[in-house]
Amino acid sequence: MLRFLTAGESHGPGLTAIIEGLPAGVPLDQRAINVQLKRRQRSFGRGARMKIEQDEVEILAGVRKGLSLGSPIALFIKNLDWVNWQDVMSANPAEIVPEKEEARKLTRPRPGHADLAGGLKYRQADLRNVLERASARETAARVAVGTVARIFLEKLGCRVISHVVQIGSVAVNSLDADYFKISELAVESPVACADSEAAGKMVREIEQAREKGETLGGIFEIICLSLPPGLGSHVHWDRRLDARLAAALMGIPSVKGIEVGLGFRGAPVPGSAYHDPIYYSPRAGFYRSTNHAGGLEGGMTNGAPLVLRAVVKPIPTLRTPLPSVDFLTKEPVQAAFERSDVCVVPSAAVVGEAMAAWVLASAVMEKFGGDTFDEVRRRWEEYLSYIEQA
Ligand code: EPS
Protein backbone atom coordinates (compact mmCIF):
# COMPACT_ATOMS: atom_id res chain seq x y z
CA MET A 1 0.00 0.00 0.00
CA LEU A 2 1.24 3.46 -0.90
CA ARG A 3 0.68 6.18 1.68
CA PHE A 4 2.11 9.54 2.62
CA LEU A 5 1.95 12.17 5.31
CA THR A 6 3.12 15.76 5.31
CA ALA A 7 4.02 18.12 8.14
CA GLY A 8 4.87 21.80 8.18
CA GLU A 9 3.48 25.27 8.79
CA SER A 10 3.43 27.98 6.12
CA HIS A 11 5.96 30.12 8.02
CA GLY A 12 7.73 27.31 9.88
CA PRO A 13 11.19 26.00 8.98
CA GLY A 14 9.85 23.95 6.06
CA LEU A 15 7.68 21.14 4.78
CA THR A 16 8.36 17.48 5.42
CA ALA A 17 6.81 14.49 3.66
CA ILE A 18 7.17 10.78 4.24
CA ILE A 19 6.18 8.32 1.53
CA GLU A 20 5.78 4.66 2.33
CA GLY A 21 5.24 1.70 0.03
CA LEU A 22 7.18 2.71 -3.08
CA PRO A 23 9.00 -0.39 -4.40
CA ALA A 24 12.78 -0.57 -4.58
CA GLY A 25 14.48 0.40 -7.82
CA VAL A 26 12.47 3.47 -8.91
CA PRO A 27 14.92 6.07 -10.24
CA LEU A 28 14.37 9.27 -8.27
CA ASP A 29 16.14 12.47 -9.13
CA GLN A 30 15.52 15.59 -7.08
CA ARG A 31 15.87 17.73 -10.21
CA ALA A 32 12.71 16.15 -11.66
CA ILE A 33 10.85 17.04 -8.44
CA ASN A 34 12.21 20.59 -8.54
CA VAL A 35 10.86 21.10 -12.07
CA GLN A 36 7.33 20.43 -10.77
CA LEU A 37 7.88 22.59 -7.67
CA LYS A 38 8.87 25.49 -9.95
CA ARG A 39 5.77 24.99 -12.09
CA ARG A 40 3.58 25.26 -8.98
CA GLN A 41 5.24 28.52 -7.97
CA ARG A 42 5.67 30.53 -11.05
CA SER A 43 2.27 31.23 -12.65
CA PHE A 44 0.80 34.68 -13.20
CA GLY A 45 -1.38 35.84 -10.30
CA ARG A 46 0.77 34.61 -7.42
CA GLY A 47 1.71 37.02 -4.62
CA ALA A 48 4.92 38.40 -3.10
CA ARG A 49 5.66 35.25 -1.10
CA MET A 50 6.52 33.45 -4.33
CA LYS A 51 9.36 35.94 -4.88
CA ILE A 52 10.84 34.84 -1.55
CA GLU A 53 10.45 31.09 -1.93
CA GLN A 54 12.58 29.07 -4.37
CA ASP A 55 11.21 25.63 -3.62
CA GLU A 56 13.77 22.85 -3.83
CA VAL A 57 13.44 19.38 -2.41
CA GLU A 58 16.01 17.56 -0.32
CA ILE A 59 15.74 13.77 -0.31
CA LEU A 60 16.63 12.82 3.25
CA ALA A 61 15.90 9.08 3.25
CA GLY A 62 14.80 6.11 1.20
CA VAL A 63 16.96 6.75 -1.86
CA ARG A 64 20.53 5.67 -2.55
CA LYS A 65 22.53 6.38 -5.70
CA GLY A 66 19.40 7.67 -7.39
CA LEU A 67 17.26 4.59 -6.73
CA SER A 68 14.48 4.04 -4.19
CA LEU A 69 15.35 1.44 -1.56
CA GLY A 70 11.82 0.30 -0.69
CA SER A 71 12.22 2.02 2.68
CA PRO A 72 10.28 5.17 3.68
CA ILE A 73 11.23 8.16 1.56
CA ALA A 74 11.64 11.43 3.46
CA LEU A 75 11.45 14.72 1.59
CA PHE A 76 12.10 18.24 2.88
CA ILE A 77 11.39 21.65 1.33
CA LYS A 78 12.85 24.62 3.16
CA ASN A 79 10.72 27.74 3.73
CA LEU A 80 13.07 30.59 2.85
CA ASP A 81 10.63 32.96 4.63
CA TRP A 82 11.42 31.18 7.93
CA VAL A 83 14.22 33.65 8.75
CA ASN A 84 11.59 36.42 8.84
CA TRP A 85 9.26 34.41 11.08
CA GLN A 86 11.49 32.48 13.46
CA ASP A 87 10.82 34.85 16.37
CA VAL A 88 7.06 34.39 15.86
CA MET A 89 6.83 30.73 14.83
CA SER A 90 9.65 28.97 16.66
CA ALA A 91 8.92 25.73 18.53
CA ASN A 92 11.24 27.04 21.24
CA PRO A 93 9.45 29.56 23.53
CA ALA A 94 12.80 31.21 24.36
CA GLU A 95 13.11 32.33 20.71
CA ILE A 96 9.69 34.07 20.59
CA VAL A 97 9.71 37.88 20.64
CA PRO A 98 6.37 38.82 22.30
CA GLU A 99 5.90 42.16 20.45
CA LYS A 100 6.44 40.46 17.10
CA GLU A 101 4.12 37.61 18.07
CA GLU A 102 1.46 40.17 19.02
CA ALA A 103 1.89 42.04 15.74
CA ARG A 104 1.35 38.78 13.80
CA LYS A 105 -1.60 37.64 15.89
CA LEU A 106 -4.75 36.91 13.88
CA THR A 107 -8.13 37.52 15.52
CA ARG A 108 -10.20 38.69 12.54
CA PRO A 109 -11.27 35.46 10.79
CA ARG A 110 -11.45 35.54 7.00
CA PRO A 111 -14.75 34.32 5.53
CA GLY A 112 -13.99 31.27 3.39
CA HIS A 113 -10.81 30.32 5.29
CA ALA A 114 -10.29 27.75 8.06
CA ASP A 115 -9.75 30.55 10.62
CA LEU A 116 -13.12 30.60 12.41
CA ALA A 117 -14.07 26.92 12.48
CA GLY A 118 -10.47 25.92 13.23
CA GLY A 119 -10.14 28.49 16.03
CA LEU A 120 -13.31 27.20 17.68
CA LYS A 121 -12.44 23.53 17.22
CA TYR A 122 -8.83 23.74 18.42
CA ARG A 123 -9.65 26.43 21.06
CA GLN A 124 -7.01 28.86 19.84
CA ALA A 125 -6.90 32.52 20.86
CA ASP A 126 -4.51 33.24 17.98
CA LEU A 127 -6.04 32.08 14.70
CA ARG A 128 -2.55 32.02 13.21
CA ASN A 129 -2.31 28.59 14.84
CA VAL A 130 -4.95 27.47 12.32
CA LEU A 131 -3.92 29.58 9.32
CA GLU A 132 -0.38 28.27 9.33
CA ARG A 133 -1.34 24.69 8.55
CA ALA A 134 -4.48 25.51 6.54
CA SER A 135 -2.34 27.57 4.15
CA ALA A 136 -1.93 26.15 0.68
CA ARG A 137 1.81 26.39 1.21
CA GLU A 138 1.49 22.72 2.21
CA THR A 139 0.65 21.83 -1.38
CA ALA A 140 4.36 22.21 -2.24
CA ALA A 141 4.90 18.99 -0.25
CA ARG A 142 2.05 17.30 -2.14
CA VAL A 143 3.65 18.24 -5.44
CA ALA A 144 6.95 16.70 -4.30
CA VAL A 145 5.17 13.50 -3.22
CA GLY A 146 3.04 13.39 -6.36
CA THR A 147 6.12 13.80 -8.52
CA VAL A 148 7.56 10.62 -7.02
CA ALA A 149 4.30 8.92 -8.08
CA ARG A 150 4.52 10.58 -11.50
CA ILE A 151 8.06 9.27 -12.06
CA PHE A 152 6.88 5.76 -11.13
CA LEU A 153 3.98 6.04 -13.63
CA GLU A 154 6.21 7.46 -16.36
CA LYS A 155 8.50 4.43 -16.02
CA LEU A 156 5.42 2.39 -16.98
CA GLY A 157 4.68 4.68 -19.92
CA CYS A 158 1.83 6.71 -18.34
CA ARG A 159 1.57 10.50 -18.48
CA VAL A 160 -0.33 12.99 -16.30
CA ILE A 161 -0.87 16.45 -17.75
CA SER A 162 -3.11 19.45 -17.08
CA HIS A 163 -4.27 22.76 -18.44
CA VAL A 164 -6.40 25.64 -17.25
CA VAL A 165 -9.77 25.99 -19.01
CA GLN A 166 -11.27 28.93 -17.12
CA ILE A 167 -10.14 31.85 -14.97
CA GLY A 168 -12.81 34.23 -13.69
CA SER A 169 -15.18 34.96 -16.58
CA VAL A 170 -12.73 33.85 -19.32
CA ALA A 171 -13.27 30.29 -20.55
CA VAL A 172 -11.58 28.28 -23.29
CA ASN A 173 -14.16 27.07 -25.80
CA SER A 174 -12.92 23.95 -27.54
CA LEU A 175 -9.32 23.09 -28.29
CA ASP A 176 -8.42 21.64 -31.64
CA ALA A 177 -5.22 19.85 -30.58
CA ASP A 178 -4.17 16.53 -29.15
CA TYR A 179 -3.42 16.21 -25.46
CA PHE A 180 0.36 16.28 -25.94
CA LYS A 181 0.13 19.57 -27.82
CA ILE A 182 -2.28 20.98 -25.23
CA SER A 183 0.19 20.08 -22.49
CA GLU A 184 3.12 21.67 -24.38
CA LEU A 185 1.18 24.90 -24.94
CA ALA A 186 -0.03 24.99 -21.34
CA VAL A 187 3.47 24.54 -19.91
CA GLU A 188 4.60 27.63 -21.85
CA SER A 189 1.61 29.79 -20.89
CA PRO A 190 1.79 32.16 -17.87
CA VAL A 191 -1.66 30.90 -16.84
CA ALA A 192 -1.21 27.28 -18.00
CA CYS A 193 -3.83 27.80 -20.71
CA ALA A 194 -3.34 26.16 -24.13
CA ASP A 195 -5.48 28.75 -25.94
CA SER A 196 -3.23 31.81 -26.31
CA GLU A 197 -6.11 34.21 -27.01
CA ALA A 198 -8.00 33.12 -23.88
CA ALA A 199 -4.72 33.16 -21.91
CA GLY A 200 -4.19 36.85 -22.82
CA LYS A 201 -7.70 37.66 -21.57
CA MET A 202 -7.07 35.67 -18.38
CA VAL A 203 -3.91 37.65 -17.68
CA ARG A 204 -5.83 40.91 -18.14
CA GLU A 205 -8.64 39.72 -15.88
CA ILE A 206 -6.10 38.82 -13.17
CA GLU A 207 -4.46 42.26 -13.53
CA GLN A 208 -7.84 43.96 -13.14
CA ALA A 209 -8.67 41.81 -10.12
CA ARG A 210 -5.34 42.73 -8.54
CA GLU A 211 -6.08 46.45 -9.04
CA LYS A 212 -9.48 46.04 -7.38
CA GLY A 213 -8.13 44.01 -4.45
CA GLU A 214 -10.14 41.03 -5.72
CA THR A 215 -9.30 37.36 -6.17
CA LEU A 216 -10.30 34.96 -8.98
CA GLY A 217 -11.14 31.27 -9.25
CA GLY A 218 -11.44 29.03 -12.27
CA ILE A 219 -11.31 25.50 -13.63
CA PHE A 220 -8.42 23.19 -14.52
CA GLU A 221 -8.48 19.90 -16.40
CA ILE A 222 -6.30 16.88 -15.67
CA ILE A 223 -5.65 14.22 -18.30
CA CYS A 224 -3.97 10.88 -17.63
CA LEU A 225 -2.74 8.97 -20.67
CA SER A 226 -1.80 5.35 -21.48
CA LEU A 227 -3.55 3.76 -18.52
CA PRO A 228 -4.70 0.18 -19.04
CA PRO A 229 -8.34 -0.77 -18.45
CA GLY A 230 -9.03 -2.11 -14.97
CA LEU A 231 -7.40 0.25 -12.45
CA GLY A 232 -9.84 0.66 -9.55
CA SER A 233 -12.83 -1.59 -9.09
CA HIS A 234 -16.63 -1.64 -9.20
CA VAL A 235 -16.90 -3.95 -6.17
CA HIS A 236 -16.84 -1.41 -3.32
CA TRP A 237 -17.55 2.31 -2.97
CA ASP A 238 -14.07 3.02 -1.70
CA ARG A 239 -12.34 1.06 -4.45
CA ARG A 240 -14.02 3.05 -7.22
CA LEU A 241 -11.22 5.04 -8.83
CA ASP A 242 -13.42 8.03 -9.67
CA ALA A 243 -14.34 8.35 -5.98
CA ARG A 244 -10.70 8.16 -4.95
CA LEU A 245 -9.56 10.67 -7.56
CA ALA A 246 -12.37 13.06 -6.60
CA ALA A 247 -11.42 12.82 -2.91
CA ALA A 248 -7.76 13.49 -3.67
CA LEU A 249 -8.60 16.51 -5.81
CA MET A 250 -11.21 17.83 -3.35
CA GLY A 251 -8.49 17.74 -0.69
CA ILE A 252 -6.65 20.54 -2.48
CA PRO A 253 -7.40 23.85 -0.72
CA SER A 254 -9.99 25.95 -2.63
CA VAL A 255 -11.17 23.07 -4.86
CA LYS A 256 -14.96 23.01 -4.62
CA GLY A 257 -16.17 20.63 -7.31
CA ILE A 258 -14.98 17.80 -9.55
CA GLU A 259 -16.15 16.58 -12.93
CA VAL A 260 -15.36 13.17 -14.41
CA GLY A 261 -15.61 13.28 -18.19
CA LEU A 262 -18.62 15.40 -19.19
CA GLY A 263 -19.47 15.79 -15.50
CA PHE A 264 -22.05 18.50 -14.79
CA ARG A 265 -22.10 19.34 -18.51
CA GLY A 266 -23.70 15.91 -19.05
CA ALA A 267 -26.91 16.78 -17.17
CA PRO A 268 -28.91 17.92 -20.24
CA VAL A 269 -27.53 15.24 -22.58
CA PRO A 270 -29.80 12.19 -23.20
CA GLY A 271 -28.33 8.75 -22.50
CA SER A 272 -28.03 7.78 -26.17
CA ALA A 273 -25.80 10.80 -26.83
CA TYR A 274 -23.97 10.65 -23.51
CA HIS A 275 -22.55 7.12 -23.50
CA ASP A 276 -19.59 6.15 -25.64
CA PRO A 277 -20.48 3.33 -28.10
CA ILE A 278 -18.12 0.33 -28.09
CA TYR A 279 -16.35 -0.82 -31.28
CA TYR A 280 -13.76 -3.48 -32.01
CA SER A 281 -11.07 -3.88 -34.60
CA PRO A 282 -8.34 -6.55 -34.59
CA ARG A 283 -5.68 -3.81 -34.72
CA ALA A 284 -7.09 -1.43 -32.07
CA GLY A 285 -8.95 -3.95 -29.90
CA PHE A 286 -11.98 -2.47 -28.10
CA TYR A 287 -12.23 1.24 -28.78
CA ARG A 288 -14.57 4.28 -28.57
CA SER A 289 -15.20 7.17 -30.89
CA THR A 290 -16.04 9.52 -27.99
CA ASN A 291 -14.87 9.81 -24.40
CA HIS A 292 -17.72 11.44 -22.48
CA ALA A 293 -17.09 9.00 -19.63
CA GLY A 294 -13.63 10.53 -19.18
CA GLY A 295 -11.92 7.13 -19.22
CA LEU A 296 -13.79 5.77 -16.20
CA GLU A 297 -16.69 3.32 -16.21
CA GLY A 298 -17.93 1.37 -13.19
CA GLY A 299 -15.22 2.93 -11.04
CA MET A 300 -12.47 1.52 -13.29
CA THR A 301 -10.28 2.91 -16.01
CA ASN A 302 -11.55 1.77 -19.42
CA GLY A 303 -8.37 2.41 -21.41
CA ALA A 304 -9.42 5.81 -22.79
CA PRO A 305 -7.71 8.99 -21.56
CA LEU A 306 -8.80 9.76 -18.01
CA VAL A 307 -10.23 13.30 -17.93
CA LEU A 308 -11.11 15.21 -14.77
CA ARG A 309 -11.95 18.84 -14.07
CA ALA A 310 -11.81 20.74 -10.82
CA VAL A 311 -13.33 24.10 -9.98
CA VAL A 312 -11.23 26.34 -7.75
CA LYS A 313 -12.95 29.07 -5.73
CA PRO A 314 -11.45 32.57 -5.57
CA ILE A 315 -9.09 32.48 -2.60
CA PRO A 316 -10.53 34.05 0.55
CA THR A 317 -7.71 36.39 1.60
CA LEU A 318 -9.00 39.70 0.20
CA ARG A 319 -7.21 43.05 0.09
CA THR A 320 -10.65 44.64 0.36
CA PRO A 321 -11.86 42.41 3.20
CA LEU A 322 -15.39 41.24 3.95
CA PRO A 323 -17.23 41.86 7.23
CA SER A 324 -16.15 39.64 10.07
CA VAL A 325 -16.22 39.55 13.87
CA ASP A 326 -13.19 39.82 16.14
CA PHE A 327 -12.67 36.36 17.59
CA LEU A 328 -11.82 37.69 21.06
CA THR A 329 -13.83 40.95 21.49
CA LYS A 330 -16.81 39.85 19.32
CA GLU A 331 -16.85 43.37 17.81
CA PRO A 332 -17.71 43.74 14.11
CA VAL A 333 -14.50 44.21 12.11
CA GLN A 334 -13.09 43.81 8.62
CA ALA A 335 -11.49 40.39 8.06
CA ALA A 336 -7.71 40.20 8.28
CA PHE A 337 -5.60 40.70 5.18
CA GLU A 338 -2.23 39.05 4.77
CA ARG A 339 -0.08 39.45 1.69
CA SER A 340 -1.69 37.02 -0.70
CA ASP A 341 -2.24 35.66 -4.19
CA VAL A 342 -4.81 36.96 -6.69
CA CYS A 343 -5.33 33.70 -8.60
CA VAL A 344 -3.97 30.23 -7.85
CA VAL A 345 -5.77 28.20 -10.53
CA PRO A 346 -2.61 27.38 -12.58
CA SER A 347 -0.78 26.35 -9.40
CA ALA A 348 -3.74 24.25 -8.27
CA ALA A 349 -3.56 22.44 -11.63
CA VAL A 350 0.00 21.35 -10.85
CA VAL A 351 -1.13 20.14 -7.43
CA GLY A 352 -4.03 18.36 -9.16
CA GLU A 353 -1.61 16.52 -11.44
CA ALA A 354 0.39 15.47 -8.39
CA MET A 355 -2.64 14.16 -6.53
CA ALA A 356 -4.02 12.36 -9.59
CA ALA A 357 -0.60 10.75 -10.12
CA TRP A 358 -0.60 9.67 -6.47
CA VAL A 359 -4.00 7.96 -6.70
CA LEU A 360 -3.08 6.26 -9.97
CA ALA A 361 0.26 5.03 -8.64
CA SER A 362 -1.59 3.65 -5.59
CA ALA A 363 -4.07 1.85 -7.87
CA VAL A 364 -1.19 0.45 -9.95
CA MET A 365 0.54 -0.80 -6.81
CA GLU A 366 -2.68 -2.46 -5.62
CA LYS A 367 -3.10 -4.32 -8.90
CA PHE A 368 0.51 -5.09 -9.80
CA GLY A 369 2.30 -4.52 -6.49
CA GLY A 370 5.70 -5.93 -5.64
CA ASP A 371 8.73 -5.06 -3.56
CA THR A 372 10.83 -4.11 -6.56
CA PHE A 373 10.00 -2.00 -9.57
CA ASP A 374 10.98 -4.87 -11.88
CA GLU A 375 8.35 -7.11 -10.28
CA VAL A 376 5.72 -4.42 -10.79
CA ARG A 377 6.81 -3.89 -14.39
CA ARG A 378 6.71 -7.62 -15.18
CA ARG A 379 3.15 -7.95 -13.80
CA TRP A 380 2.13 -4.79 -15.65
CA GLU A 381 3.51 -6.06 -18.97
CA GLU A 382 1.97 -9.48 -18.53
CA TYR A 383 -1.42 -7.83 -17.94
CA LEU A 384 -0.99 -5.55 -20.97
CA SER A 385 -0.30 -8.52 -23.23
CA TYR A 386 -3.37 -10.31 -21.81
CA ILE A 387 -5.45 -7.18 -22.56
CA GLU A 388 -4.07 -7.03 -26.10
CA GLN A 389 -5.18 -10.59 -26.75
CA ALA A 390 -8.55 -10.25 -24.98
C1 EPS B 1 -1.32 31.57 1.64
C2 EPS B 1 -0.86 32.86 1.73
C3 EPS B 1 0.36 33.30 1.02
C4 EPS B 1 0.59 32.40 -0.17
C5 EPS B 1 0.66 31.00 0.35
C6 EPS B 1 -0.70 30.56 0.78
O1 EPS B 1 1.49 33.18 1.84
P1 EPS B 1 2.04 34.40 2.68
O2 EPS B 1 0.95 34.76 3.64
O3 EPS B 1 3.28 33.92 3.36
O4 EPS B 1 2.33 35.46 1.67
O5 EPS B 1 1.71 32.77 -0.93
O6 EPS B 1 1.11 30.10 -0.61
C7 EPS B 1 2.37 29.65 -0.49
C8 EPS B 1 3.24 30.10 0.39
C9 EPS B 1 2.68 28.61 -1.45
O7 EPS B 1 3.82 28.11 -1.43
O8 EPS B 1 1.80 28.27 -2.25
C10 EPS B 1 -2.47 31.15 2.42
O9 EPS B 1 -2.86 31.85 3.33
O10 EPS B 1 -3.03 30.07 2.12
Side-chain angles (χ1 to χ4, degrees):
M1 187 175 75
L2 267 182
R3 53 196 174 134
F4 80 91
L5 281 175
T6 73
E9 276 69 45
S10 178
H11 302 98
L15 298 162
T16 304
I18 296 187
I19 300 173
E20 211 257 338
L22 195 78
V26 178
L28 291 179
D29 179 346
Q30 66 200 41
R31 284 171 302 186
I33 300 176
N34 291 340
V35 168
Q36 300 303 328
L37 291 175
K38 275 256 127 45
R39 282 181 67 214
R40 194 198 71 95
Q41 282 201 284
R42 71 158 186 224
S43 62
F44 193 78
R46 298 303 304 271
R49 175 81 185 269
M50 288 303 100
K51 296 195 174 76
I52 298 173
E53 302 300 340
Q54 299 291 326
D55 290 345
E56 286 193 1
V57 75
E58 278 177 70
I59 302 177
L60 299 179
V63 178
R64 186 172 182 213
K65 287 170 73 179
L67 291 176
S68 64
L69 297 171
S71 54
I73 295 171
L75 306 174
F76 183 70
I77 302 164
K78 217 182 256 176
N79 285 333
L80 299 183
D81 212 8
W82 166 241
V83 291
N84 306 315
W85 285 81
Q86 194 160 353
D87 40 21
V88 175
M89 288 298 298
S90 176
N92 177 359
E95 283 181 11
I96 300 289
V97 177
E99 308 78 66
K100 290 203 177 163
E101 185 194 14
E102 191 55 31
R104 294 290 196 181
K105 191 166 171 179
L106 183 86
T107 61
R108 294 176 289 138
R110 292 159 296 171
H113 225 286
D115 306 343
L116 179 57
L120 291 168
K121 176 177 165 67
Y122 289 90
R123 302 187 186 213
Q124 298 293 332
D126 183 355
L127 302 179
R128 175 160 300 287
N129 292 339
V130 176
L131 169 163
E132 285 288 333
R133 181 65 184 162
S135 163
R137 172 79 190 138
E138 186 267 348
T139 61
R142 288 190 229 180
V143 168
V145 167
T147 306
V148 171
R150 176 201 293 270
I151 292 168
F152 169 81
L153 292 171
E154 282 175 356
K155 293 297 290 177
L156 296 169
C158 309
R159 288 273 308 271
V160 180
I161 61 179
S162 74
H163 62 121
V164 167
V165 295
Q166 184 162 347
I167 286 182
S169 68
V170 185
V172 170
N173 283 325
S174 69
L175 285 165
D176 193 18
D178 69 25
Y179 286 132
F180 289 105
K181 189 71 195 162
I182 287 175
S183 161
E184 251 172 53
L185 293 168
V187 165
E188 282 159 20
S189 159
V191 284
C193 177
D195 173 343
S196 59
E197 200 184 317
K201 290 184 188 156
M202 288 172 181
V203 166
R204 279 195 294 285
E205 192 145 323
I206 293 171
E207 277 166 348
Q208 283 162 10
R210 193 191 301 278
E211 278 159 26
K212 285 192 236 150
E214 268 295 356
T215 58
L216 289 177
I219 299 175
F220 64 82
E221 184 171 84
I222 305 276
I223 304 121
C224 312
L225 299 166
S226 305
L227 301 171
L231 296 178
S233 176
H234 61 290
V235 302
H236 271 298
W237 66 274
D238 57 350
R239 292 186 58 195
R240 287 183 172 257
L241 196 64
D242 34 11
R244 293 166 61 181
L245 285 161
L249 293 176
M250 283 296 291
I252 300 169
S254 292
V255 167
K256 291 295 140 204
I258 304 296
E259 288 187 326
V260 177
L262 266 191
F264 296 109
R265 290 161 293 157
V269 182
S272 58
Y274 184 102
H275 296 291
D276 308 306
I278 303 173
Y279 304 101
Y280 181 84
S281 85
R283 200 180 50 84
F286 296 104
Y287 72 94
R288 315 298 178 95
S289 52
T290 53
N291 185 22
H292 297 156
L296 285 159
E297 288 171 310
M300 290 170 278
T301 52
N302 65 5
L306 197 153
V307 185
L308 306 162
R309 284 184 174 203
V311 61
V312 180
K313 73 177 179 182
I315 58 165
T317 309
L318 295 168
R319 190 154 52 76
T320 45
L322 290 172
S324 182
V325 171
D326 190 281
F327 195 58
L328 303 178
T329 68
K330 314 295 186 289
E331 292 298 319
V333 287
Q334 301 265 281
F337 173 70
E338 295 225 354
R339 152 191 81 174
S340 191
D341 307 301
V342 177
C343 176
V344 295
V345 181
S347 297
V350 179
V351 185
E353 287 179 27
M355 292 312 293
W358 178 262
V359 172
L360 292 169
S362 304
V364 168
M365 279 303 288
E366 279 156 30
K367 183 150 175 56
F368 306 102
D371 296 308
T372 68
F373 182 70
D374 281 345
E375 270 175 277
V376 176
R377 194 203 324 250
R378 269 202 304 278
R379 289 171 187 163
W380 167 273
E381 281 167 0
E382 190 266 328
Y383 180 72
L384 287 192
S385 59
Y386 147 74
I387 291 289
E388 258 170 41
Q389 287 152 27

